Amino acid sequence: MADTKEQDPKQAQADQGEAPQGQEPKPADVAPVEAPAAPQPKQKDKQKDKQKDKQKGKKPAEGKPAPAEPEGPPPEPAPPPRLHEYYVQRVRPKLTQQFGLANPHEIPKLVKIVLNVGMGDASKNPKALESAVAELAAITGQQPVVTRAKKAIANFNLREGMPVGCSVTLRAARMFEFLDRFITIAVPRMRDFRGLPTDSFDGRGNYTIGIKEQMIFPEIDYDKVEKIHGMDITFVTSAGRDDTALALLRELGMPFRGEAPVAVA
């Protein structure tokens, strides 16, 4: 029984490959200890994340730093139009005294300016319509709206919904800026200009004039013009009568026929 007890630990050491007592184990005999592997994300999770980024419209982060926002004071607001200040300081008191208006809400004012370009061949020549839209946007600084036919007319080969032109409605600051440029720059460039007619009012204080060429505006490039066309410009006022609307436009510097235009300082 003693022999079997003494032989058991020796056999166990031999089976495990350990060195006998009193001797150092050889490096080949000792198995290297491996570091625990870092958990790796599954490929399915990566693919799901990429699909989510594509759906959201975001590119996967590549480790690049985000662009720094520019430091400095916020941009200053644009100054008010020159013609609007002139209207408040000079035109309103003069119209109040001229017509004896006690209520300040009765003083006529400019509400909006509508520019309309009609092109009957817009359906046959869409390129000309695109150039007209681009020219009107350059003149006014606002994107025009394409106007379409409201009903079908067989004599003109016109169907309901077909494009027939474009138009722009200007209000507030853009309205006064356009009026200032129209009076001081565009109107003097008209061919054989002798003044604007005074009989183009509609009886409700709105004034409409027709222009034969869009070349009078300096924003138009002669080399890029596809077709020479005209336009109608309507000045809508809050005056219910033609005489008060005429006085308003005259004081704003509109050069009417047979009259010396008012100098706007």
Side-chain angles (χ1 to χ4, degrees), residues 23-243:
Q23 296 182 3
E24 297 179 0
K26 296 181 180 180
D29 297 335
V30 179
V33 180
E34 296 180 359
Q40 298 181 357
K42 297 180 181 180
Q43 295 182 357
K44 293 183 179 180
D45 297 337
K46 290 183 179 180
Q47 292 178 357
K48 290 182 180 179
D49 295 337
K50 290 182 179 180
Q51 291 178 357
K52 290 181 180 179
D53 294 337
K54 289 181 179 179
Q55 292 176 357
K56 293 180 180 179
K58 299 180 180 179
K59 296 181 179 180
E62 298 178 359
K64 295 182 180 180
E69 297 182 357
E71 298 180 357
E76 298 181 357
R82 178 180 69 100
L83 203 59
H84 182 263
E85 292 183 347
Y86 177 79
Y87 167 76
V88 174
Q89 297 175 2
R90 301 286 184 86
V91 178
R92 285 177 61 89
K94 192 169 184 179
L95 293 177
T96 304
Q97 183 180 3
Q98 181 179 354
F99 294 99
L101 303 175
N103 190 346
H105 296 285
E106 295 179 356
I107 303 174
K109 62 181 179 179
L110 197 61
V111 178
K112 61 183 178 180
I113 298 177
V114 182
L115 290 83
N116 182 28
V117 177
M119 303 187 70
D121 58 345
S123 59
K124 299 179 181 179
N125 190 3
K127 188 175 181 181
L129 180 61
E130 293 179 0
S131 63
V133 170
E135 291 172 358
L136 199 58
I139 292 171
T140 59
Q142 185 172 315
Q143 183 64 26
V145 177
V146 177
T147 55
R148 300 183 180 275
K150 295 182 180 180
K151 63 180 181 179
I153 302 176
N155 294 334
F156 298 111
N157 295 328
L158 190 65
R159 296 180 180 178
E160 184 178 358
M162 293 178 63
V164 293
C166 56
S167 65
V168 171
T169 302
L170 302 177
R171 303 175 189 271
R174 288 184 179 177
M175 174 185 65
F176 283 102
E177 290 175 356
F178 171 79
L179 181 60
D180 195 358
R181 288 185 283 109
F182 177 74
I183 294 173
T184 57
I185 301 175
V187 170
R189 298 178 64 179
M190 289 184 180
R191 187 177 301 177
D192 300 332
F193 178 70
R194 297 181 181 178
L196 299 176
T198 58
D199 56 352
S200 297
F201 289 91
D202 62 349
R204 299 178 181 178
N206 304 323
Y207 182 71
T208 303
I209 58 174
I211 297 175
K212 297 181 180 180
E213 298 179 355
Q214 78 275 29
M215 316 296 288
I216 63 174
F217 294 98
E219 293 85 0
I220 302 299
D221 189 0
Y222 289 86
D223 299 332
K224 297 181 180 180
V225 173
E226 294 287 340
K227 180 182 177 181
I228 295 178
H229 58 80
M231 66 182 68
D232 295 330
I233 303 177
T234 302
F235 301 90
V236 181
T237 66
S238 62
R241 303 180 304 177
D242 292 345
D243 54 348

